[in-house]
Amino acid sequence: MVIVVMGEVGSGGESMGRLLAESLGWEFADMESLDCAAQMRSGLPDTGRMPQIEVLSAAVDSSTCEWRDLIISCPALKEKDQWQLRRNHPLVKFVSLRAPDSVDQSLVPAQASAAHEKNDSILAVDTSQGAERIIGAVLSSLILKRTGKSPHAA
């Protein structure tokens, strides 16, 4: 499984991605390191960078072919890019981080609910909830739901 932790600048995507990967025992990669690696493999000059969606897709391909669980942090993706990744990689899930100052707090629960109703592979969370609650939400909403396990099973 691959979880893409995405958010706007200042939402803590890289920090949250690292914490999530550490707590799950999964690999972690950020968009910058993936982009640099792709750049080196391609031999293109800086002006010829690969589009972000292609870099992400290649990382997901590699992870799924090798049966490795991976957390990737990246800037917020456009809906069409999310759709493209999900279409080609059904095991990709998304965590969309919302920094408290970038969204009206009264809308966050409705956004999270709407995201689940629209597509159960996207979890929208408010970063003011704290890391522990966000990790718990990811576990219960994206991972345990997929495996059918109960978080309280012995």
Side-chain angles (χ1 to χ4, degrees):
M1 176 184 246
V2 176
I3 297 176
V4 178
V5 178
M6 58 185 181
E8 298 171 8
V9 174
S11 66
E14 185 172 343
S15 298
M16 184 52 57
R18 286 185 190 281
L19 283 171
L20 188 56
E22 184 179 302
S23 69
L24 294 170
W26 292 13
E27 291 182 45
F28 172 80
D30 63 20
M31 191 61 216
E32 186 175 332
S33 63
L34 292 174
D35 193 36
C36 288
Q39 178 88 15
M40 290 174 60
R41 282 191 305 272
S42 72
L44 296 172
D46 276 352
T47 56
R49 289 187 184 268
M50 292 173 59
Q52 177 174 291
I53 189 64
E54 289 181 27
V55 173
L56 282 171
S57 188
V60 173
D61 281 342
S62 173
S63 176
T64 56
C65 285
E66 297 171 8
W67 291 96
R68 293 180 292 118
D69 293 316
L70 177 66
I71 306 287
I72 301 173
S73 70
C74 70
L77 295 172
K78 295 176 184 173
E79 192 171 328
K80 70 179 181 88
D81 290 339
Q82 292 174 33
W83 179 85
Q84 182 178 340
L85 276 176
R86 280 193 311 270
R87 181 189 58 164
N88 296 330
H89 308 93
L91 295 179
V92 173
K93 305 293 181 187
F94 298 92
V95 175
S96 178
L97 299 176
R98 309 278 189 220
D101 58 351
S102 70
V103 67
D104 179 351
Q105 293 304 300
S106 65
L107 298 177
V108 173
Q111 286 175 337
S113 175
H116 277 293
E117 288 172 17
K118 183 177 178 185
N119 187 323
D120 67 355
S121 68
I122 301 172
L123 174 64
V125 294
D126 171 6
T127 58
S128 70
Q129 294 178 36
E132 193 171 298
R133 290 186 78 190
I134 292 171
I135 290 170
V138 171
L139 285 172
S140 63
S141 297
L142 297 180
I143 297 173
L144 296 176
K145 183 177 181 180
R146 176 183 161 257
T147 61
K149 294 181 182 176
S150 166
H152 304 293

